[in-house]
Structure formats: C-alpha cells, structure tokens
Amino acid sequence: MDEPLTILVPARDEEAVIGTTVARLRSAFPDAEVIVADDGSRDRTADVAEEAGAVVLRLPRRGKGQALSAAERAAPPGALLLCDADLSGELGALLNLSGDLTVAAFAQRVGGGFGLAKRVARSLIGALGGIEVREPLSGQRALSAAARTACFPVAAGFGCEVRMTIDAARSGLRVREVELPLGHRATGRDLGGFVHRARQLRDTVYACGPLGINFHGLRLPLVGWKVGVTNGPAIAAVAALGLVDDLWSGPERGFRAHLRSGRTTGVLKLVGIPAIGLLATRRVSGALLVGLAANAVNQLDTRPGRALKAYLAAAVPLDAPVGVAVLLLPYDLREMAMLGDAGSNALGALLGLHSVKRFTGRGQWLAIGALAGFTILGERKSIGAWIEQAPVLSWLDRLGRS
C-alpha cells in the first residue's frame, strides 16, 4: 500500500502486553501513527500504551467493534492496519499484497475450542458475502482507503471482523488472506474460554443481522424486533413495519416530510400501525392510541435508554409487560445494541393497547389528546432539546448512560 497508514489497536485490560505490542508496531512501521482504543480497561492499559508512544482513546466499555469505530474516526485519511493488543509477530506482509482487505491467517493454531464459532462465521460470510475464507475471526487486517470506506463503522463487539469481510465482498473489493507465523494469547477449553467464544458467536450472529448507526456513529445491532417476538401477533406486525423503516427509510423526518414525499416507509407506518390497532381493538380510539403511542415512543428514541425509560415509566401504571424492556435497557444504555423503529414502535403500540384496557372511553380520548399534543410538539420543536433543558428530566435521561 502506498497510502498513508494508521494502525488501530483495540485493547481491554492488556497492561502486561500492550507496551510491547505498541513498541513493536512503531519499530516495524515508523511512519505510521498507532492509535490504541482502550475499551474501558480496569488496569493501566491506557497509561502503558501512552508511555510506549501510542495515541490513546480512553473509552467507556462498549465492545471491540465500538472501540475500533471510535479509533477509525480519530484516524487521519488513508489505509488502516488493525492489530489485536496481544499479538506477537510481524504484519508487514499484509501491506505487501495487492488487495483491499488483506487478512492474516495464523500459520499454527494454538488453543481454541471446538471450532463452532469459526464454522458459523465462515458459513455466514459464504452466504452473505459469497466468498470462502479460512480465518473469519482474525483481527489482523489491512484495509485500503476504499475498504475503510466500505467497512466502517464496523459492527459491534466481536462480530466486527465477520461483518467487515461481508461488507468488503459485497462492495466488490478484493479480499485476500495470507498465512503468517503469528502468535497471541489463546483461550482454552475452560469456562473462561467457552464464555469468550459464546460471546463471539452471539456477536457474529447479530453482526450479520439488521444494523443501525446511532448518534455517536456506532454501528449497532437492531434488537427491537425482540419486543414483537415476545408480545403477540399485533405487536409483531408493528415491529415488522418498524423494521422495514429501519432498513429502507429515506432522509425524511416527521409527518409532514413523509406526507410530502408520498411513498415512504414512514407513510407505510402512518397507515399500517393504526390499522393494526383497529384490528386488535375494534375501536377507532384503539387505532388512534396505538398509532400515536407508537409514534411518541419512537420520537424519544434518539439517545441511549431514553425510549426504554419512558416506556417503563408508563408501563407500570398501565400494567404493560416490562420484562423485555428491562432486559434490553442495559445494552441500549451502554451502546451495545439499539431499539430502532422496530423496538420503539412496538413498545409504544404495547402502551396503546394497554391504555385501551385500563382507561374508560373518556380516559382514552384524554390520552389521545395528550399524545396528539406530544406529536405536534415534536413536529415543531426538538423533544430531545426540551428534555435536556429540564433539569429533572435531563438527570433522569442521563442516568445509567455511559
């Protein structure tokens, strides 16, 4: 590669090895900047990396993919070399081959489990990317500027490498593997090793599913469909409409923009969600409550945890289910996953359905008026800005967020 090079090293609790790794990289690539993305380490990883000459990003603990995405945003334009913090060996050969994404395959396997995570990763890359690879999980990778554009921000957690390969292949870029005599700290067939590989497998599966980009520019798995799966056919249908919007929505925001544009996924939701409410409740008030509540929670889903907190606050007096929301909240707050429209619309629809059950006819119309007012307010003013300007709401909104 003749492009300017930046080396990205994600690290968590690697105090014992990070200094040696950084020193080796700076010696092998003297013209390259080394950026260590410290993923919430509890030891002196960040300090040792700085002492060895790296630029260090001190990040809250989110995951490997999120750390790499943050480091890539901090890097100057040009090619990238990705390297795990515990690697030993030379990576120069990755830069000497013609290819947009060049992946190091370890010449000798050390440790590991039974190969399930690798087999699943290979199968997913073959099915979604159309190529066969030997080392789907290798973190040692060289990316040209074109591959960097196609692959970043990368998927969350340990799924980043698998989705990176798929994205490069789908973009028509050249993906190559080269066998190198490398070493790293291997996991064994003990409890810790199996837990690590289970996380790899989980993150790999999520990385190959629907993804969204949050306000920090992190590419996260959209997990809101789980609300639909666990709460009956009506909510499942609302979640499906939300997922369509997650995957194929355009730049339009707000009712007026969608109506002016005509055939958008937003218009599909505008018509479809109240229709689902009408079928589920057999009432016009039910249709309005489901549609307006789904939109209200969706309007709040602009910061981690905000929509889920609002849902939980309303779910308790309405006797709506809280289990799935409680399970999703820590992942949403820590920016490890996103609700997306699938989740926020489904949660709002749940509140609407339970409002029909809990309120009398007069109470239902009062709730419809309040939700309509909230919708109009959201069309004219940023709800997020309003929350941030109110001291108590702002404190509640930030509570638990990384």
Side-chain angles (χ1 to χ4, degrees):
M1 292 184 181
D2 296 326
E3 303 163 329
L5 178 67
T6 305
I7 303 171
L8 308 184
V9 185
R12 179 189 293 162
D13 297 335
E14 299 286 4
E15 176 185 355
V17 296
I18 190 64
T20 302
T21 299
V22 170
R24 185 182 296 117
L25 290 170
R26 294 188 68 218
S27 175
F29 307 99
D31 296 326
E33 181 176 68
V34 179
I35 299 178
V36 171
D38 179 52
D39 186 34
S41 292
R42 296 160 295 184
D43 59 11
R44 296 187 64 252
T45 294
D47 295 334
V48 173
E50 280 184 335
E51 291 165 4
V55 174
V56 176
L57 301 181
R58 298 171 186 262
L59 305 169
R61 180 172 177 174
R62 290 187 177 121
K64 182 178 183 180
Q66 295 92 317
L68 278 172
S69 292
E72 186 271 337
R73 287 200 306 274
L80 298 176
L81 178 64
L82 311 186
C83 175
D84 289 341
D86 61 350
L87 184 78
S88 61
E90 299 298 328
L91 296 175
L94 288 180
L95 306 177
N96 297 331
L97 297 176
S98 60
D100 292 294
L101 174 62
T102 307
V103 182
F106 285 66
Q108 183 177 2
R109 177 181 172 181
V110 178
F114 298 107
L116 176 61
K118 277 192 178 182
R119 287 197 298 273
V120 171
R122 288 193 192 102
S123 298
L124 288 170
I125 290 172
L128 301 177
I131 60 173
E132 293 184 6
V133 297
R134 172 184 163 185
E135 286 289 350
L137 303 175
S138 173
Q140 323 332 306
R141 296 168 174 244
L143 291 83
S144 67
R148 176 178 178 177
T149 300
C151 299
F152 276 87
V154 295
F158 295 115
C160 55
E161 289 94 1
V162 172
R163 188 57 186 252
M164 189 186 306
T165 304
I166 292 169
D167 289 338
R170 283 178 170 177
S171 299
L173 301 177
R174 295 165 296 172
V175 179
R176 300 192 60 177
E177 290 182 302
V178 56
E179 186 175 282
L180 296 176
L182 303 174
H184 70 113
R185 185 179 59 250
T187 56
R189 293 181 180 179
D190 54 13
L191 179 60
F194 285 119
V195 168
H196 171 73
R197 285 184 289 277
R199 288 173 178 163
Q200 272 189 320
L201 184 58
R202 176 202 64 188
D203 290 353
T204 293
V205 172
Y206 277 141
C208 294
L211 303 177
I213 297 178
N214 78 347
F215 80 110
H216 273 145
L218 300 177
R219 196 174 179 199
L220 305 176
L222 295 166
V223 297
W225 52 267
K226 293 184 177 183
V227 179
V229 170
T230 56
N231 287 285
I235 301 304
V238 172
L241 290 178
L243 186 60
V244 168
D245 199 32
D246 284 325
L247 298 178
W248 294 294
S249 66
E252 300 85 6
R253 293 294 180 268
F255 281 134
R256 286 177 292 181
H258 283 292
L259 291 173
R260 281 196 300 265
S261 297
R263 297 179 181 178
T264 69
T265 54
V267 172
L268 179 64
K269 291 198 304 180
L270 180 62
V271 175
I273 294 177
I276 293 168
L278 181 62
L279 288 172
T281 64
R282 309 287 179 166
R283 300 179 188 179
V284 172
S285 59
L288 292 172
L289 276 171
V290 169
L292 288 168
N295 179 68
V297 178
N298 189 33
Q299 282 184 288
L300 293 171
D301 191 29
T302 55
R303 290 294 184 272
R306 182 178 289 172
L308 282 164
K309 289 176 183 177
Y311 172 80
L312 289 170
V316 173
L318 291 175
D319 197 27
V322 299
V324 68
V326 171
L327 289 173
L328 292 176
L329 183 59
Y331 295 95
D332 196 41
L333 281 170
R334 292 171 57 191
E335 297 181 70
M336 299 173 70
M338 290 175 62
L339 280 179
D341 283 16
S344 59
N345 286 149
L347 289 172
L350 261 178
L351 294 179
L353 288 178
H354 281 266
S355 296
V356 175
K357 297 176 183 178
R358 296 287 287 181
F359 294 153
T360 62
R362 185 176 183 181
Q364 290 175 23
W365 287 104
L366 287 173
I368 288 168
L371 289 169
F374 186 82
T375 298
I376 294 170
L377 177 65
E379 289 286 309
R380 298 185 174 183
K381 182 178 179 179
S382 168
I383 298 295
W386 176 67
I387 290 172
E388 290 164 6
Q389 290 166 6
V392 175
L393 290 178
S394 178
W395 178 81
L396 290 171
D397 183 46
R398 295 193 308 271
L399 188 66
R401 190 180 298 159
S402 297

